[in-house]
Amino acid sequence: MLERITRFFTRESAHSDPQEVQIYEDGEHPLSPDMINRDAYKVVDVLQRAGFEAYVVGGCVRDLLIGLKPKDFDVATSAKPGEIKELFRRARIIGRRFQIVHVQFSREIIEVTTFRSNTSQTAGKNHRQQTDSGMLTRDNVFGTVEEDASRRDLTVNALYYDPGDNSIHDFTNGLDDIDDKIIRIIGDPETRFREDPVRLLRVARFAAKLGFDIESHTANPMKQRAADLQQVSPPRLFDETLKLFMSGQALDTFNLLLEYKLFDFIVPQLAPMLNDRQGIPIKLVSQALINTDKRIQASQRVTPAFVYAALLWPVVQKLAKNYEKQGSSPPYALSKAAGEVILKQIPVTAIPKRFTIPMREIWDLQLHLRRRGGNRAKRLLEHPRFRAAYDFVLLREESGEDLEGLGEWWSAYQQANAESREEMADQVAATERRPRKNRRRRGGKPAANPES
Ligand code: ATP
Ligand code: MG
């Protein structure tokens, strides 16, 4: 696909003033209207017939040009939210920070946004708000399509496709950057990162997803601006971490997050433990992300609970060991550590309870899976979180933890028939019964979930 693009984009005007629009007409680019989702096409058509400007825009145009399957199709238009709503039977206005219109079709929702401007001089106070550090908190100033292009994050994300006449409108030399495989922020990088620190993560995410290089002016201020991520609301930062780790290029993204010091502000408790590049923590996290990427590749289910369980496990384990040294029983130490570590992470990325509960179960089962003699193994196998906990044992072993062959035992147990399973469990029971020194129990009962 890229060769095809190169062939198309050999125009003289390719390096003109980025404010000047370059229009690539039908035949000058590899897109065609049939590549566009039918419903998005219809939305553009209805808007254009009503006299508005309308384009398919953003990630889908980028992905189609690169030969990737777009996740969704977004539409941008000169029509105001109220005007959009009037044109469609099933449409509703949502959002406060950005007002957008959702047009409902039988198969899906098409997101329609009105062209917005990023020029604060003309903005009334009610429409555009900024914090002292320059961060935008509200942004509903409508503008022209050119202004809409320049308020977008990356040049590769600011291409406007008109399926009506099959033309691409490029205001920021985005097509050249796609062709050259470059991630470049639009406008002054430092200012744009200050306006919205999430753009730091988006730069890393798209560089990893597309395999593109980060252009040097874009890259230069990134480390310095990383700490601004602390100003992003914890629920939004949680959502962004899902996109970072659950979209198929988690390992590459993670390595960029480390390189640009962004990870320090995503899981601050873990970050110092990753300084030892040969250590178990970085191996565990990397392997968890490799496995996540592989599962996505194979269309298998992935859950944020497993990823976050891995991201926080080294921290939980270290703290739990401290509590054990102070005399707590292993289950009590683990439970107390888990509660504390989660409680510290929530103000950074607000992990919802539907994920923290299974995370704690995966961690708890790390102890239970060891005590597998007698009837226990059979019962554990039926635990709803068994599979995740077993995968977690394998992950720990893969990253260099010595669990005395626990993963192998459970692999064999699952494959064995009922009779052999009983034998295996009895054998373990015999060793578990053997009296050991210091078997005296210490510590109280586990604490209740502090986050519940
Ligand atoms: P994906 O494949 O992940 O959906 P996308 O590029 O479509 O990628 P979205 O998050 O869906 O990303 O956003 C749609 C478009 O909105 C982007 O392509 C970009 O033009 C613009 N955009 C999104 N987030 C920001 C931001 N934080 N700052 C500026 N523009 C943004
Ligand atoms: Mg999108």
Side-chain angles (χ1 to χ4, degrees):
M1 192 61 131
L2 274 178
E3 281 82 19
R4 263 177 80 197
I5 299 175
T6 315
R7 204 156 26 81
F8 279 116
F9 306 140
T10 46
R11 297 176 148 204
E12 289 285 317
S13 60
H15 292 282
S16 65
D17 179 348
Q19 289 310 308
E20 214 172 277
V21 63
Q22 296 167 62
I23 298 176
Y24 296 86
E25 311 276 0
D26 179 41
E28 295 179 328
H29 60 79
L31 300 193
S32 58
D34 61 339
M35 293 177 175
I36 303 297
N37 160 297
R38 258 212 338 246
D39 299 330
Y41 187 101
K42 196 163 166 210
V43 170
V44 170
D45 190 51
V46 168
L47 286 161
Q48 289 182 345
R49 279 172 201 274
F52 298 108
E53 263 183 281
Y55 301 92
V56 171
V57 67
C60 60
V61 181
R62 174 200 70 215
D63 287 350
L64 285 173
L65 284 166
I66 293 165
L68 299 173
K69 190 174 175 296
K71 237 172 42 193
D72 43 35
F73 288 82
D74 298 325
V75 171
T77 178
S78 58
K80 305 286 187 299
E83 295 170 323
I84 304 166
K85 192 173 170 346
E86 266 175 33
L87 287 171
F88 299 94
R89 213 158 36 86
R90 288 199 290 168
R92 54 194 193 101
I93 300 175
I94 60 152
R96 196 183 114 87
R97 189 167 179 274
F98 296 137
Q99 268 195 350
I100 57 179
V101 181
H102 275 178
V103 182
Q104 176 83 52
F105 288 87
S106 52
R107 277 166 302 178
E108 74 212 299
I109 289 171
I110 301 294
E111 230 173 71
V112 188
T113 46
T114 305
F115 297 147
R116 281 199 304 270
S117 157
N118 206 11
T119 45
S120 43
Q121 291 88 341
T122 56
K125 244 210 145 76
N126 289 338
H127 296 291
R128 197 161 192 275
Q129 285 167 8
Q130 224 161 1
T131 64
D132 291 343
S133 64
M135 192 164 80
L136 288 179
T137 51
R138 198 163 175 194
D139 194 3
N140 272 323
V141 182
F142 301 125
T144 63
V145 60
E146 287 92 335
E147 287 169 329
D148 192 69
S150 50
R151 64 98 192 160
R152 288 180 185 270
D153 55 351
L154 309 175
T155 60
V156 297
N157 285 348
L159 294 165
Y160 293 71
Y161 176 62
D162 181 347
D165 65 3
N166 195 29
S167 63
I168 296 175
H169 298 229
D170 182 0
F171 302 89
T172 62
N173 287 331
L175 273 171
D176 285 346
D177 285 343
I178 286 189
D179 208 21
D180 299 338
K181 299 185 163 227
I182 286 175
I183 293 295
R184 186 197 311 267
I185 202 151
I186 297 169
D188 172 52
E190 159 115 33
T191 311
R192 300 307 308 284
F193 289 136
R194 273 184 198 273
E195 279 175 359
D196 182 2
V198 163
R199 289 174 188 148
L200 295 160
L201 302 179
R202 291 178 61 89
V203 165
R205 176 155 69 90
F206 289 115
K209 168 177 164 150
L210 307 173
F212 284 17
D213 287 330
I214 305 174
E215 181 271 332
S216 65
H217 293 90
T218 297
N220 283 340
M222 281 178 67
K223 282 184 200 168
Q224 222 197 326
R225 294 267 56 88
D228 293 351
L229 285 169
Q230 292 169 111
Q231 296 163 31
V232 178
S233 81
R236 182 167 181 226
L237 203 56
F238 174 75
D239 287 347
E240 288 302 321
T241 61
L242 296 193
K243 295 184 201 164
L244 294 170
F245 297 129
M246 317 287 290
S247 54
Q249 301 293 339
L251 182 68
D252 290 348
T253 309
F254 173 64
N255 286 327
L256 286 173
L257 295 177
L258 290 180
E259 186 180 336
Y260 290 100
K261 304 283 172 223
L262 303 172
F263 193 80
D264 297 27
F265 303 96
I266 295 173
V267 191
Q269 301 178 87
L270 175 68
M273 298 178 79
L274 303 177
N275 288 337
D276 175 6
R277 290 294 196 252
Q278 306 305 321
I280 289 181
I282 200 163
K283 282 193 190 143
L284 181 103
V285 171
S286 302
Q287 193 58 49
L289 299 178
I290 290 169
N291 297 354
T292 307
D293 288 343
K294 277 192 196 149
R295 290 182 68 94
I296 290 169
Q297 193 78 40
S299 305
Q300 284 175 296
R301 207 177 69 88
V302 289
T303 163
F306 193 88
V307 174
Y308 264 99
L311 287 170
L312 292 173
W313 173 250
V315 189
V316 169
Q317 209 178 14
K318 192 174 160 193
L319 193 58
K321 273 190 191 137
N322 278 346
Y323 287 136
E324 278 186 52
K325 270 190 211 138
Q326 290 166 22
S328 296
S329 71
Y332 180 75
L334 183 72
S335 176
K336 191 166 149 69
E340 284 176 15
V341 168
I342 286 175
L343 213 57
K344 243 175 147 175
Q345 181 63 28
I346 302 277
V348 186
T349 60
I351 314 170
K353 232 196 237 172
R354 66 176 185 283
F355 299 130
T356 58
I357 292 168
M359 279 163 66
R360 294 190 65 143
E361 287 177 325
I362 291 171
W363 292 337
D364 280 345
L365 281 166
Q366 297 308 299
L367 290 183
H368 294 308
L369 290 188
R370 284 170 179 260
R371 295 172 43 81
R372 55 200 188 277
N375 289 329
R376 286 209 197 92
K378 204 173 151 198
R379 276 208 308 270
L380 282 165
L381 207 54
E382 285 158 16
H383 192 289
R385 216 62 67 192
F386 171 81
R387 185 70 216 190
Y390 161 71
D391 283 343
F392 205 83
V393 166
L394 297 182
L395 176 68
R396 291 171 62 196
E397 289 185 334
E398 261 178 299
S399 62
E401 268 194 73
D402 181 7
L403 301 180
E404 298 163 341
L406 188 63
E408 210 180 312
W409 190 92
W410 276 107
S411 303
Y413 184 84
Q414 290 174 82
Q415 274 156 23
N417 59 26
E419 201 181 323
S420 325
R421 279 184 183 182
E422 220 165 287
E423 262 171 45
M424 288 177 76
D426 287 346
Q427 260 170 26
V428 176
T431 57
E432 278 178 356
R433 266 197 302 277
R434 208 183 301 144
R436 264 184 264 151
K437 275 184 204 160
N438 293 331
R439 275 200 77 193
R440 183 166 53 93
R441 276 184 162 267
R442 279 182 291 194
K445 45 178 207 190
N449 292 4
E451 85 275 21
S452 61

